[in-house]
Amino acid sequence: MTATTAALFAATMICGCSNPQKAGVKALEEGNYEEAQVQFEKLTEEDGKDAAEGWRGLGMARYEAEDYQGALDAFGQAVENGISPTVQMYNLMAVCAMQTEQYGPALEYIRSGLALADSASADEQPSDGLIQEMRFNEIICCERKADWESAKQKVTEYLEAYPDDEAAQREAEFLATR
């Protein structure tokens, strides 16, 4: 299970969980993504917060099973059913969109997540590693959209913050040819 999924997981465990939710979380922790999906799908049939939590859990299970379009759809349903996206959730949505070559929406998720991180209180700040990942993925999305000027600007800003990142240094070299 990825660190981002584990963070979302923790948020799920804090709420008053119903039995399918507990079973889904347990299956997800054990790496049994099919069973997790079955349990979370049960929750999606409920009303209110349970349905929203079911959709979020289903998104996490599908993400871990590498069903990125299914995960993205489930996260979208979670939001429609009342889940407030977190920085971690925006990141997962961005990764899903990137995996399905939807770079425009991925860029929107990244920027929404970064904006949310900027406004988060000190105790709600996401990890530096998550922010770094999102900022790097922002460069990749700009690049994939052939928005060379934005990609160049973002890689310059990124390298100011993370000067030792060799992958970003290679991206900067590549972008210098554009």
Side-chain angles (χ1 to χ4, degrees):
M1 180 183 329
T2 64
T4 302
T5 305
L8 268 177
F9 216 43
T12 302
M13 290 301 294
I14 292 171
C15 68
C17 299
S18 63
N19 289 336
Q21 188 167 12
K22 286 180 183 177
V25 168
K26 183 176 186 227
L28 198 55
E29 286 175 333
E30 294 171 350
N32 187 347
Y33 307 129
E34 287 181 27
E35 178 61 22
Q37 289 181 57
V38 168
Q39 294 301 320
F40 289 125
E41 283 173 355
K42 290 178 186 177
L43 281 176
T44 66
E45 298 167 4
E46 301 294 323
D47 292 323
K49 186 172 174 108
D50 283 345
E53 291 294 342
W55 284 112
R56 179 169 52 186
L58 186 58
M60 290 186 292
R62 288 177 176 171
Y63 177 88
E64 291 296 336
E66 298 180 3
D67 173 7
Y68 298 113
Q69 186 59 56
L72 191 55
D73 293 343
F75 288 134
Q77 285 294 318
V79 172
E80 284 184 31
N81 280 275
I83 291 290
S84 294
T86 61
V87 175
Q88 294 85 354
M89 189 170 167
Y90 276 126
N91 183 57
L92 288 176
M93 293 169 79
V95 170
C96 289
M98 290 174 71
Q99 289 290 332
T100 56
E101 299 183 2
Q102 300 173 58
Y103 299 107
L107 198 51
E108 291 176 29
Y109 296 133
I110 290 166
R111 290 179 176 163
S112 294
L114 291 172
L116 186 59
D118 286 343
S119 66
S121 65
D123 60 325
E124 295 176 344
Q125 279 296 314
S127 71
D128 289 336
L130 178 61
I131 298 302
Q132 182 176 356
E133 175 185 342
M134 292 177 78
R135 290 184 66 193
F136 185 82
N137 284 341
E138 184 177 29
I139 298 163
I140 301 303
C141 287
C142 290
E143 185 178 303
R144 294 294 172 105
K145 291 181 63 180
D147 182 356
W148 307 116
E149 291 308 311
S150 293
K152 288 175 187 178
Q153 175 189 349
K154 295 297 178 184
V155 79
T156 299
E157 293 169 2
Y158 180 93
L159 285 171
E160 288 173 8
Y162 311 103
D164 297 329
D165 188 324
E166 292 178 10
Q169 291 169 3
R170 286 190 300 276
E171 286 299 319
E173 289 173 16
F174 167 77
L175 289 167
T177 67
R178 301 287 170 222

